[in-house]
Structure formats: structure tokens, C-alpha cells
Amino acid sequence: MNMEARVGVVVEGGQRALNSAHGAVADAGARKFLQPQHQHGHCSQQGLNPQIGTIQQLLAGGIAGAFSKTCTAPLARLTILFQVQGMHSDVSSLSKASIWHEASRVINEEGFRAFWKGNLVTIAHRLPYSAVNFYAYERYKSLLQSILGLENERRNASADVCVHFVGGGLAGMTAASATYPLDLVRTRLAAQRNSIYYRGIWHAFHTICKEEGFLGLYKGLGATLLGVGPCLAINFSVYESLRSYWQLQRPNDSTVMVSLACGSLSGIASSTVTFPIDLVRRRMQLEGAAGQARVYKTGLVGTFRHVIQSEGLRGLYRGILPEYYKVVPGVGIVFMTYETLKMLLSRMPSSY
């Protein structure tokens, strides 16, 4: 989930002051910070981070997201497999499920490469999703700062958090809407076990449109937007707040470690809050898949109610552990990869 990251670290006459904190990620980041520090005897500067053009922003955001998803693909598939358990199987048998049991089943029945099942469509989805998200976040943030008159003022913490929260949510919803059909196809490919119904990306698109109509590609969009906005808004705002506080208290700490720690904590916070919505959206995406009977027929609220009644409140957090294991490295990777690429691309000629 775009943009040109910015954080101004101002160091003047031996005095360091954190002037502004901005940034964002993806997937629900994630996002990063490796900003250079400069010392000047008398004049201060803001925005010491490297500036890059629009194309470079989109490229860096897309590659960072795709690389992160590829690294964490095995955990992502385990999360999906756990989330959809209980849809067409006996709930009483699910108590025996564990991460290692499911991982062993995948290796024994499908082979080790099956952990990356659907990874091609994951990248096909993540490249545009990450690029749009990073870019849109920066644009929404600039617009909000302009509306609130914060561009050239020393902002207070509450105003900054508000801008990050709203900007992150709007960016996430924009990116999710633009790439939703790919997200649905990715879910259906990753949820397949031994029985292969969809033979690839294009076959899945064709089959879904033929059997469920064009709108079948948008099943669960409402739940997705409901979850993606808060998820990324929490991710961005928590990340920026933690990073700003950390650098204010410990300005000499490695920016790489600060980026990794804050990115991971923000990812865990957003995942914990929005995981039930994510589980419901996954199940709604699989409604009617592969010719199976519909399970949930009463919309978003009815799906929540059905899961709670049949599986209990714990059912809403089925698969949360592999999600945590995925979030910690995933968010850190995308944050730092984006900033590293941005620094490299800033050395290349660009046009806005």
C-alpha cells in the first residue's frame, strides 16, 4: 500500500530536533525510515530525505510490497487456510489444528512449493496495490496538511496523528478498491488444497465471471474496505507516533532498527484490531467458490453472527498466530525496502 517518505531530522549546532514525522506503508501494511542526518553550524533544513519523482515512488512502493509478500508467502498461506476453516467442515475437528500440524499437512500432501501457491497473483496484486497505496498516502497527507494549514507550521502531535490516521485510511481504501479483483482471485487460489478448481490467474477470472457474473469479482468488497481503512490508518499513525517518540528520546539509535521495531509493532497493533474483519472478508470472498454451496447469506453482520454462533469469539481470531509471525518481518521488510529503494532511485534523473 506509495509515496515519497518524509521525515525531517534537523540537527543544528549540535542540537537535534525532530521537525516532522511522515510516512506510510503497506499491508495490511507497512513502511520505513532510513533518513540521513546532516549537521550544519548555522542554518536548519527540513526534508533532508531524498526526493524522487512519481514513477520512482510507484516503482519503489510496488517492489517493496511484492518483495515483502514473497518473503512471507508461507505464513500468509497458512493464515488463509486457518481463516477459512469451518466454512465447509465440522467445527469440532478444528480444535486439533495447529500451525505445525497444518504446515506438515501442506508439505506432505502438496509439497514444499505449495507454500508459495498463488504467489504469482500475490505479486500481480501487491505491485499495483503497494504502489497505489504509498503514492495515494502521500497525496492525501499533503492535501490534509494543506486543508488544515499545517504545511509550514510546527505541528502538534494530535494534528500529526490525525493526518496520518485519515490519510492512511483513505490511501488503503483507494488501493484496495483499485486492485480488488486480483485480491479475490489470490484468496481463492491460495485457499485451494489438493483439489484444483482454478488452474491459474486467467482461468480463475474467466471461471468466476462465467459462474458468478462480473460482480462475483467484488464479493466481500464492503468488508474489505471496512477493514483496510482502519488497518492502514492504525498502521501508519502508530508507526509515525512510535518512530517520532523514539527518535526524540534516543536520537542516536540506528534508523534501520527504529524502522524495523516501529514497523513491526504498528503491524501487530493494526492486525490485532482488524483481524476479525479480515477473517470475515476472506470467507465472503470464498462464498460460492468452486461451485460449493453458499454458507453465509445475510451479509457482513450475518457472517459475523454465524461465525460467533458456530465457532465462538475465538473463531474470529482463527489464524492470528501465523498472521503475527508474518506481520513482524513483513512490515519491517516493506518499510526498509521502500526507503532503501527510494534512496537508490533518488540518484537517478526523474521528472515529476
Side-chain angles (χ1 to χ4, degrees):
M1 349 113 192
N2 100 162
M3 43 109 293
E4 180 185 283
R6 309 158 166 115
V7 173
V9 175
V10 182
V11 182
E12 301 202 5
Q15 206 179 23
R16 293 176 185 145
L18 184 62
N19 223 14
S20 62
H22 310 307
V25 164
D27 181 71
R31 166 161 181 33
K32 65 339 123 164
F33 258 54
L34 292 155
Q35 71 233 354
Q37 299 184 15
H38 300 289
Q39 287 190 328
H40 296 288
H42 57 286
C43 65
S44 72
Q45 291 183 343
Q46 285 184 327
L48 296 177
N49 55 299
Q51 301 295 312
I52 59 177
T54 301
I55 300 302
Q56 286 91 336
Q57 288 179 30
L58 296 175
L59 183 63
I63 292 176
F67 180 65
S68 175
K69 294 298 287 186
T70 299
C71 291
T72 60
L75 289 168
R77 181 155 190 248
L78 287 174
T79 298
I80 292 176
L81 290 175
F82 273 110
Q83 285 180 320
V84 302
Q85 286 179 349
M87 283 189 70
H88 300 283
S89 58
D90 182 9
V91 176
S92 63
S93 66
L94 301 181
S95 59
K96 303 175 183 178
S98 69
I99 296 177
W100 299 116
H101 180 272
E102 185 64 17
S104 298
R105 185 203 64 77
V106 171
I107 294 174
N108 294 331
E109 297 181 7
E110 305 175 56
F112 186 73
R113 291 179 60 186
F115 281 120
W116 280 267
K117 182 180 288 186
N119 190 55
L120 181 60
V121 71
T122 296
I123 293 176
H125 167 263
R126 200 39 60 163
L127 279 170
Y129 182 89
S130 297
V132 172
N133 184 72
F134 273 110
Y135 182 71
Y137 173 76
E138 208 55 23
R139 296 302 165 233
Y140 281 128
K141 186 177 66 178
S142 297
L143 177 62
L144 290 170
Q145 289 174 346
S146 176
I147 293 174
L148 297 175
L150 301 176
E151 309 103 308
N152 301 314
E153 297 180 10
R154 193 181 187 87
R155 297 177 296 282
N156 59 50
S158 60
D160 261 349
V161 170
C162 178
V163 168
H164 297 317
F165 193 91
V166 176
L170 290 174
M173 295 174 75
T174 299
S177 299
T179 61
Y180 190 76
L182 280 170
D183 182 49
L184 182 138
V185 168
R186 177 189 61 148
T187 299
R188 294 202 176 185
L189 289 174
Q192 293 186 127
R193 297 197 178 194
N194 293 328
S195 178
I196 303 299
Y197 191 80
Y198 304 110
R199 297 192 298 270
I201 301 176
W202 299 116
H203 180 259
F205 270 112
H206 175 74
T207 303
I208 293 170
C209 289
K210 181 180 178 181
E211 297 180 353
E212 306 169 49
F214 180 74
L215 292 180
L217 293 172
Y218 290 88
K219 282 184 176 179
L221 177 60
T224 298
L225 295 180
L226 183 63
V228 133
C231 177
L232 290 174
I234 294 170
N235 210 327
F236 296 151
S237 57
V238 171
Y239 173 79
E240 292 294 351
S241 299
L242 286 174
R243 188 194 58 78
S244 179
Y245 178 78
W246 190 321
Q247 292 192 330
L248 196 61
Q249 299 297 318
R250 301 174 63 90
N252 294 320
D253 283 357
S254 166
T255 51
V256 174
M257 294 308 299
V258 171
S259 173
L260 179 59
C262 295
S264 298
L265 289 173
S266 67
I268 290 174
S270 62
S271 291
T272 301
V273 174
T274 62
F275 192 81
I277 298 176
D278 187 61
L279 180 140
V280 167
R281 86 179 177 93
R282 292 291 188 199
R283 296 197 178 188
M284 294 182 74
Q285 285 179 330
L286 290 171
E287 276 286 79
Q292 292 181 309
R294 291 175 59 87
V295 179
Y296 313 110
K297 304 176 182 178
T298 52
L300 179 62
V301 176
T303 302
F304 266 108
R305 186 183 300 115
H306 186 284
V307 173
I308 293 173
Q309 289 176 347
S310 60
E311 304 172 48
L313 287 174
R314 293 182 60 183
L316 293 174
Y317 283 91
R318 192 177 302 284
I320 190 67
L321 286 182
E323 175 69 11
Y324 281 157
Y325 298 154
K326 177 188 71 173
V327 162
V328 173
V331 173
I333 289 170
V334 75
F335 282 173
M336 292 192 295
T337 301
Y338 174 80
E339 191 64 16
T340 300
L341 288 171
K342 194 188 75 168
M343 293 178 69
L344 293 174
L345 291 171
S346 67
R347 301 171 186 172
M348 300 170 58
S350 65
S351 58
Y352 187 76

